[in-house]
Amino acid sequence: MTGPAEPWRTWAGDESCVPAVWERPGSVTEVVDAVGRAAARDQTVRVAGSGHSFTPVVLTDGTLLSLERMSRVLDVDTATGLVRAQAGVSLNALSETLWDHGLALENLGDVDVQSIAGATATGTHGTGARLRNLSAALVSVELVAGDGTVHELSATDADGGDAWRAARVSVGALGVITAVTVRTVPAFVLRGLDAVEGREQVLQELDARAAAHDHFELFAFPYAGRVITRTNDRVHSEPRPRGRVGAYVRDELLTNKGFEAICRLGRARPSLIPRLNRAATALGSAPAHVDRSYRVFATPRSVRFNELEYAIPREHAATAVRAVLAMIEERRLPISFPLELRTVAPDDALLSPAGGRETAYVAAHVYQGMEWQPYLREVEAIMRSFDGRPHWGKRHFRTAADLKPAYPEWEAFQAVRDRLDPGRRFTNPHIAQILGP
Ligand SMILES: Cc1cc2nc3c(=O)[nH]c(=O)nc-3n(C[C@H](O)[C@H](O)[C@H](O)COP(=O)(O)OP(=O)(O)OC[C@H]3O[C@@H](n4cnc5c(N)ncnc54)[C@H](O)[C@@H]3O)c2cc1C
């Protein structure tokens, strides 16, 4: 199905493009045909997920493919936990189907509206010291390459699994992923608890907290001596879904509308931000939320922002958070969003930011309509001093030349890229900047 040219835009709203052709294939054959048509027109191709990356990674003036018509769960094997799904399925829709079969994704980030292919392509992760990013659950990947051939990539391939390890975190630079097989776990219930605690004490206890809980993260507002901690643990009890009113008050009024009002006020009167941040921190505790895993992991998000997130060796986590907060506070920067700190276990995808090392992710956000580049450049400089690697879906200023030394298996990824897309059908200026021509 080919649509008329219309604008495509990111969730944050500040990156957009008008593709020459926008295709919505409904099958692998239709994807192959669409790639063939783009080649005949000598156009590059990008695939859009749900637009939740902050960077211009999806943008194209050539052919844009949307897999919204390829969003079905194809097969559920409850005995092995292996589940086959089309690449356009959202994490939420997948989780709902899995729950009905007594299964779940092992971990999720803080939203679940992304497509499975889009989320894994950028190394999307949740938090959990023993848990890897989402792409680590991909047992096999079906991909349409630059010449229109269809490949099923897995660990047991003749290339030693290199193409599979490349395709799990591909940044959309290898081809169109059309389906994936995911390893799932038995369905579980989480008890989520948000609390307000002293900043320095939590930073000192970081390793112990991360080790003691299934999922631990913190939010540190600049200018506030306290942080909000979020602790999610598996419990053996039935879900206790919050009533509609309770969920509305917590998620919509306090988390979204309340926080939006605070951010707006801070944008209009930056001198108020230190006081507003202390008030926002105080609002951070919440009663325990016991529910299906994916309903505790993910929360609705309506406050728009720009974000950078860096993966750094875990041992530097507390020092890095302190360094960014000190930089903000010394320079009196008008930052109304908290730093977010999460932990992720190492994995073996060739371009995974958490690849090969125990990782802490540090994220910095800037409210929409506020200048984000100078601050995020400063944060990036601090993260680079800790040997950081940027999240592929979030703002950063790196180039292929300086990313290459950060990835021991960079050349192996490029060799797979040369094999699957030698003519560079799947590129755009951003891909050329971060992965090279
Ligand atoms: C509010 C919000 C919350 C977020 N929370 C988290 C979080 O908790 N943890 C985290 O790690 N990240 C988080 N992110 C980042 C987000 O998970 C990633 O940017 C993710 O890649 C977005 O998925 P998407 O489906 O929107 O893909 P898009 O952003 O649309 O695309 C991402 C990349 O995937 C490629 N792609 C998409 N589909 C295909 C396909 N079928 N074949 C080949 N390539 C494809 C695209 O070309 C692009 O390169 C968040 C982002 C937002 C806006």
Side-chain angles (χ1 to χ4, degrees), residues 213-227:
H213 297 284
D214 295 327
H215 313 271
F216 175 78
E217 66 182 296
L218 69 83
F219 301 90
F221 281 91
Y223 310 107
R226 293 185 295 169
V227 295

Side-chain angles (χ1 to χ4, degrees), residues 213-249:
H213 297 284
D214 295 327
H215 313 271
F216 175 78
E217 66 182 296
L218 69 83
F219 301 90
F221 281 91
Y223 310 107
R226 293 185 295 169
V227 295
I228 300 170
T229 55
R230 175 163 295 166
T231 311
N232 293 337
D233 282 305
R234 291 175 178 224
V235 287
H236 297 286
S237 75
E238 287 301 309
R240 296 201 298 270
R242 296 172 304 180
R244 292 239 310 263
V245 174
Y248 178 77
V249 169

Side-chain angles (χ1 to χ4, degrees), residues 47 49-53 110 114-115 118 122 124-125 171 177 342 391:
V47 189
S50 67
H52 273 59
S53 294
D110 52 24
Q114 308 97 314
S115 63
T122 62
T124 293
H125 60 90
V171 207
I177 294 168
R342 296 183 272 188
H391 188 304

Side-chain angles (χ1 to χ4, degrees), residues 109-113 194 230 242 250-251 255-256 289 294-302:
D110 52 24
V111 296
D112 61 4
V113 292
D194 289 1
R230 175 163 295 166
R242 296 172 304 180
R250 181 74 224 157
D251 295 341
T255 308
N256 280 314
H289 180 196
Y294 58 98
R295 292 184 177 167
V296 175
F297 284 134
T299 48
R301 300 283 280 277
S302 59

